[in-house]
Amino acid sequence: AAQAEREEKQEAAARAEAARVDAAATAEAARERAATAESALAGARSLSLEERGAEAEAAWQQQVDALRSKLTLAERRASAAEAARQAGILEQRNAQHQAKQSVANARATAAEELA
C-alpha cells in the first residue's frame, strides 16, 4: 500500500510538473504576443498623419478598384446574357419562319396535286 501511495504521489508530482511547464510556456507565448502588439502599436503611433492618410487612401483605392472589377464582370455577364437572349429570339424567329415556309410549301403542293 505504501508503494502504491508513493507511486501515486510521483505520478501526481509528474502531472503537476507537466502542468507547470505547460503554464510557463503559455505565459511566455502570451508575453511574446503582448510584446509584438506593443511594438505594432508603437509603430502605428510613430506613423505620421500623412503616412496614415496615404495608407487609408491606398486601402480606399483598392476597394474602389475591386468594386470596379466586380462592376465590369457584372456588365460582361449581363451583356452575355442579353446576347444569349437575342440569339434565342433570333433562333425562335427562324424556326417560326421555317414553319410558315413548310406550311406554305405543303399548301402549294396540295394545291398542285388537287389541280
Side-chain angles (χ1 to χ4, degrees):
Q3 177 69 23
E5 190 176 322
R6 280 193 298 270
E7 287 175 3
E8 275 185 41
K9 286 181 182 179
Q10 287 175 348
E11 288 175 11
R15 285 192 302 271
E17 178 62 16
R20 186 194 65 74
V21 169
D22 187 44
T26 301
E28 181 61 28
R31 281 191 290 276
E32 288 175 5
R33 285 193 303 273
T36 301
E38 287 177 13
S39 175
L41 180 59
R45 285 182 180 150
S46 70
L47 290 177
S48 71
L49 184 59
E50 288 178 6
E51 289 171 322
R52 283 186 254 161
E55 286 181 0
E57 175 71 22
W60 176 81
Q61 188 61 48
Q62 285 179 339
Q63 289 177 339
V64 168
D65 292 345
L67 289 172
R68 281 187 181 144
S69 178
K70 287 181 181 180
L71 177 60
T72 300
L73 181 59
E75 288 172 341
R76 287 179 183 163
R77 286 180 177 164
S79 178
E82 177 61 19
R85 188 184 72 78
Q86 290 292 335
I89 290 172
L90 184 59
E91 189 175 313
Q92 184 181 16
R93 286 182 183 163
N94 286 338
Q96 287 173 347
H97 175 72
Q98 287 177 352
K100 287 179 183 178
Q101 189 64 42
S102 294
V103 169
N105 289 344
R107 285 183 181 160
T109 302
E112 286 177 8
E113 290 177 3
L114 290 176

